[in-house]
Amino acid sequence: MSEWAGSGVREMTVASAFAGMRSVAPVVFKAGCPDCRGRFELAAGALRLAIGASSRTTFYSFTCPECGASVRKPAGERIVELLTGGGVSTLRLHTP
């Protein structure tokens, strides 16, 4: 870093701004299949979140990597927070 003449402001390069930062590990979610009883981890891209007008119409879904079953599970407020924070694609359902 260098100091600008008379301003008291220091100049920062991109390299120095990001020095010491580590790469972030991809987010994975633990899930289970009710059909085959498999337990596994899924990347955010393997999950879909649908947010409806009520708790009955808010759910997440995925395809079981072990048996291929389509799985749909209810998503409460905490699950919605975790999934959206982890980068899961979200679809907002609108009712007429």
Side-chain angles (χ1 to χ4, degrees), residues 47-51 58-61 75 79-80 83-84 88-92:
L47 294 153
R48 293 161 303 283
L49 174 64
I51 300 177
T58 300
F59 61 90
Y60 66 99
S61 61
I79 298 294
V80 169
L83 293 176
T84 55
V88 172
S89 295
T90 303
L91 172 66
R92 295 207 178 264

Side-chain angles (χ1 to χ4, degrees), residues 60-96:
Y60 66 99
S61 61
F62 58 90
T63 300
C64 175
E66 295 184 12
C67 72
S70 293
V71 179
R72 178 176 159 165
K73 294 187 175 188
E77 287 182 34
R78 182 69 180 137
I79 298 294
V80 169
E81 286 178 26
L82 291 170
L83 293 176
T84 55
V88 172
S89 295
T90 303
L91 172 66
R92 295 207 178 264
L93 305 175
H94 296 282
T95 55

